[in-house]
Amino acid sequence: MIVIKTPSEFQKWREKQSDKTIGFVPTMGYLHDGHLSLIKQAKTDNDRVVASIFVNPLQFGAGEDFTTYPRDLLRDRELAKEAGVDVLFLPDKKDMYPSPMASLIRITQGIDTLCGKNRPGHFDGVATVVMKLFQIVQPNSAYFGLKDAQQVAVIERMVKDYFVPIEIVRVPTVREADGLAKSSRNVHLTDAERRQASAIYRTLSEIKEHVMSGKETIMNLELAGKKKVEEETKSSVDYFTIRHFPSLDPVEQINEAKESELIIACAVAFSEVRLIDNIIFKL
Ligand code: AMP
């Protein structure tokens, strides 16, 4: 595995790969099985796999966990190498964001709900860094986890809007044995919170069954899901929301949703960390 730290060094490597297909896995590091499943898929589909690690300051709001976000570069390098990454790209802040910044991607659709509503500017930060990484890496395909479903929706739309010739590949969520979605942030749960956190996926699955049976209104199911997760995690729920996917438009009537996919998404604020999860399904 080659480790590259600057965009110009990366571009030199990239010029020599003209006859190869490149799969790209952008991450913020502290790698776990979720990231590894993206890498595995990228390896299956491409001649070369590039993974990046960059904790992107632009996507963290004031008071969010940028400084405490878990980091362990030595371990990440080992895991990336074992997983078969060809190039690990580790850009630094001064290369990614020369000061002063002169441009920014602004997301205008699909952010009035879920994390977009609770984290103003977050998806502008995500889109900006992903576009910068796409321009440097120039992959054929890029791999994104459905655990961050709104991120997938935003990136798919951005790629379409800007005619970016990169295929976006959606990868299913990897979970712990009790259903909790794997996340770098899970290390910041207390032992009690870790046990309680399994209620998130359990409740998403239960509410999905109720949506499928069609007997309750969407609003009642959102309220019931929120109440249940709050009771079982003893933490506050930022949102428990049912929408169309990937448009994230509201679902007025369950019947109207027969053709499209629905998402049930939830965010929970634990004492030190905010976790998100979702289920995407067809009726
Ligand atoms: P992050 O390092 O958290 O920014 O995540 C990097 C990529 O890994 C994103 O595309 C995430 O959606 C994806 N990812 C994170 N956790 C999981 C998971 N449990 N299962 C599948 N993909 C994941």
Side-chain angles (χ1 to χ4, degrees), residues 224-253:
K226 180 170 194 279
K227 186 160 173 268
K228 183 142 200 247
V229 176
E230 276 184 334
E231 279 167 9
E232 296 200 12
T233 61
K234 301 185 178 31
S235 300
S236 87
V237 167
D238 275 2
Y239 59 77
F240 192 104
T241 304
I242 305 171
R243 293 262 162 158
H244 290 279
F245 186 80
S247 70
L248 301 179
D249 289 339
V251 182
E252 309 295 347
Q253 293 276 336

Side-chain angles (χ1 to χ4, degrees), residues 25-35 37-38 54 59 69 143-149 151-152 171-175 180-185:
V25 181
T27 83
M28 297 205 299
Y30 211 73
L31 301 181
H32 53 67
D33 290 346
H35 300 114
S37 110
L38 270 58
F54 180 64
Q59 71 189 64
Y69 195 84
Y143 295 76
F144 288 87
L146 282 168
K147 173 174 157 293
D148 300 286
Q151 172 168 281
V152 172
V171 181
T173 302
V174 177
R175 301 180 178 283
L180 177 66
K182 300 234 180 196
S183 166
S184 308
R185 290 184 164 106

Side-chain angles (χ1 to χ4, degrees), residues 24 34 37-38 41-42 45 141-157 166-174 244-248 260-263 278 280-282:
F24 177 42
S37 110
L38 270 58
Q41 187 63 51
D45 300 347
S141 327
Y143 295 76
F144 288 87
L146 282 168
K147 173 174 157 293
D148 300 286
Q150 192 169 22
Q151 172 168 281
V152 172
V154 161
I155 299 297
E156 285 178 350
R157 185 65 199 272
I166 297 173
E167 187 198 354
I168 303 302
V169 182
R170 300 175 178 180
V171 181
T173 302
V174 177
H244 290 279
F245 186 80
S247 70
L248 301 179
S260 74
E261 283 192 304
L262 296 184
I263 181 169
N278 69 77
I280 296 170
F281 60 101
K282 256 195 150 138

Side-chain angles (χ1 to χ4, degrees), residues 194-264:
R194 170 63 193 85
R195 285 191 299 276
Q196 290 152 356
S198 63
I200 303 172
Y201 183 61
R202 206 164 48 242
T203 308
L204 289 169
S205 307
E206 278 175 32
I207 297 293
K208 173 187 155 190
E209 294 311 314
H210 288 294
V211 174
M212 307 268 289
S213 75
K215 288 191 200 132
E216 275 290 346
T217 64
I218 293 291
M219 203 171 90
N220 283 346
L221 291 175
E222 288 175 337
L223 290 171
K226 180 170 194 279
K227 186 160 173 268
K228 183 142 200 247
V229 176
E230 276 184 334
E231 279 167 9
E232 296 200 12
T233 61
K234 301 185 178 31
S235 300
S236 87
V237 167
D238 275 2
Y239 59 77
F240 192 104
T241 304
I242 305 171
R243 293 262 162 158
H244 290 279
F245 186 80
S247 70
L248 301 179
D249 289 339
V251 182
E252 309 295 347
Q253 293 276 336
I254 292 184
N255 281 346
E256 98 196 12
K258 283 267 184 276
E259 293 309 307
S260 74
E261 283 192 304
L262 296 184
I263 181 169
I264 311 176

Side-chain angles (χ1 to χ4, degrees), residues 178 186-198 270-271:
D178 66 354
N186 290 350
V187 289
H188 288 322
L189 293 169
T190 65
D191 290 346
E193 287 173 341
R194 170 63 193 85
R195 285 191 299 276
Q196 290 152 356
S198 63
F270 290 93
S271 57

Side-chain angles (χ1 to χ4, degrees), residues 122-162:
H122 168 69
F123 286 109
D124 297 347
V126 169
T128 301
V129 81
V130 168
M131 186 63 109
K132 281 173 184 265
L133 289 167
F134 280 0
Q135 297 305 317
I136 301 165
V137 176
Q138 309 229 344
N140 300 83
S141 327
Y143 295 76
F144 288 87
L146 282 168
K147 173 174 157 293
D148 300 286
Q150 192 169 22
Q151 172 168 281
V152 172
V154 161
I155 299 297
E156 285 178 350
R157 185 65 199 272
M158 177 184 79
V159 159
K160 198 162 164 244
D161 284 351
Y162 287 90

